[in-house]
Amino acid sequence: MLLKTYSSLLSIFLVTGCASIISGDQQQVSIAVQCKGMNIPTYCVASNTEGTWRFNTPATITVNKSPSDLRVSCESGTFGDYSKKASSSPSLTILGNIFAGGILGAAYDYHTSAGLNYPSKIILTTPLCRLM
């Protein structure tokens, strides 16, 4: 009976990824628009296949993780419109799953996007500022 309980718990651990338990399927990302190191208040929209978020910069937003790029588009009356994309990449927790022998857990973490992260800071520079 005790062996059966341990086997069940081990199966659950291997099937549910470590990243799913530790970091979940959302992430905080700080986004700023800058010109020569100074923050510029702008209206932005960030989106990926899991949602769309509207905000004014500088801001820290919570996004749903996804294997797709996080696209950030901003507009400012003075500096025009501009955008940037940030790719998601495997986090250390998904790599830990692979090394610990939990390939099923790592696959689950990737499938649910819990094992992926975007850069924690995204800084956009306005095209007009690059010309100055």
Side-chain angles (χ1 to χ4, degrees):
M1 177 71 173
L2 188 57
L3 182 59
K4 190 174 183 177
T5 302
Y6 284 131
S7 296
S8 296
L9 289 174
L10 181 61
S11 297
I12 290 169
F13 178 74
L14 289 175
V15 172
T16 59
C18 189
S20 303
I21 296 167
I22 294 173
S23 60
D25 61 355
Q26 294 184 324
Q27 176 188 350
Q28 287 192 334
V29 178
S30 296
I31 301 173
V33 176
Q34 294 184 345
C35 182
K36 302 200 183 282
M38 306 265 312
N39 286 336
I40 299 170
T42 56
Y43 172 75
C44 297
V45 176
S47 63
N48 63 19
T49 57
E50 298 298 317
T52 300
W53 301 269
R54 300 174 196 308
F55 55 95
N56 292 312
T57 63
T60 299
I61 62 171
T62 301
V63 299
N64 297 331
K65 295 179 181 180
S66 168
S68 70
D69 290 341
L70 180 65
R71 296 186 180 277
V72 181
S73 300
C74 300
E75 57 184 53
S76 166
T78 307
F79 293 98
D81 299 346
Y82 34 90
S83 62
K84 185 174 188 174
K85 67 180 181 175
S87 299
S88 61
S89 58
S91 67
L92 292 177
T93 52
I94 198 170
L95 296 175
N97 248 345
I98 293 168
F99 292 123
I103 194 72
L104 292 176
Y108 180 82
D109 284 345
Y110 184 82
H111 176 71
T112 62
S113 300
L116 301 174
N117 279 334
Y118 293 109
S120 59
K121 262 187 173 177
I122 299 172
I123 298 175
L124 290 85
T125 303
T126 65
L128 182 60
C129 188
R130 284 185 231 143
L131 299 174
M132 299 174 151

